[in-house]
Amino acid sequence: MSMLLAGTMLLAVMVIPAQTVMLPQFSVIYKLGLADSYAALILPAIASPMYIFLFRQNFLGIPESIEEAAKLDGASALRTFLQLIVPLAKPIYAAVTILVFIAMWNDFVWPVMVISDTGIASTGAKN
């Protein structure tokens, strides 16, 4: 039941337009002292609900029998994750990396909001 609720909440958050959460995101970035840094550009992109949903769906598609077999062979949970699950998830890591890169490349408003240092700002975002 909790997995269904988590999936439903994730889909509900995906419906919220990005412009709606832009000001609260800026407030959080500013209060954390991350304004005028590369982290201010990268962190909000990584925490997108769409990418979390993609990872969730990918990990749900990995058969539990693989994890059970690793447990029977004596592998710890960390070893199972690092040596079995992560390699199986390489395609989703690549896909999300490409999607984040394209989204950040096309984004104009967010860099103008969080970056005022012209040394960090890209050519298109310089005032």
Side-chain angles (χ1 to χ4, degrees):
M1 184 67 177
S2 64
M3 291 294 289
L4 181 63
L5 181 63
T8 305
M9 291 297 294
L10 199 55
L11 287 174
V13 171
M14 286 175 59
V15 176
I16 300 171
Q19 292 81 3
T20 307
V21 296
M22 200 172 280
L23 196 57
Q25 267 184 342
F26 176 76
S27 178
V28 169
I29 292 290
Y30 185 77
K31 287 178 183 175
L32 290 175
L34 296 175
D36 285 334
S37 70
Y38 289 115
L41 299 173
I42 296 169
L43 290 178
I46 293 174
S48 171
M50 185 180 96
Y51 306 135
I52 294 170
F53 180 73
L54 288 175
F55 273 106
R56 177 184 179 273
Q57 290 302 109
N58 184 65
F59 287 132
L60 287 177
I62 296 175
E64 288 184 26
S65 60
I66 293 175
E67 295 177 47
E68 291 171 1
K71 186 183 269 188
L72 286 174
D73 287 341
S76 66
L78 180 63
R79 183 173 180 177
T80 302
F81 180 72
L82 293 176
Q83 291 188 340
L84 289 175
I85 305 301
V86 170
L88 288 172
K90 282 183 182 178
I92 197 66
Y93 285 119
V96 167
T97 301
I98 292 168
L99 290 172
V100 168
F101 177 79
I102 292 171
M104 291 299 98
W105 184 270
N106 292 329
D107 197 8
F108 176 75
V109 176
W110 183 250
V112 169
M113 282 180 65
V114 297
I115 303 294
S116 60
D117 181 14
T118 56
I120 295 175
S122 64
T123 307
K126 290 183 181 177
N127 295 334

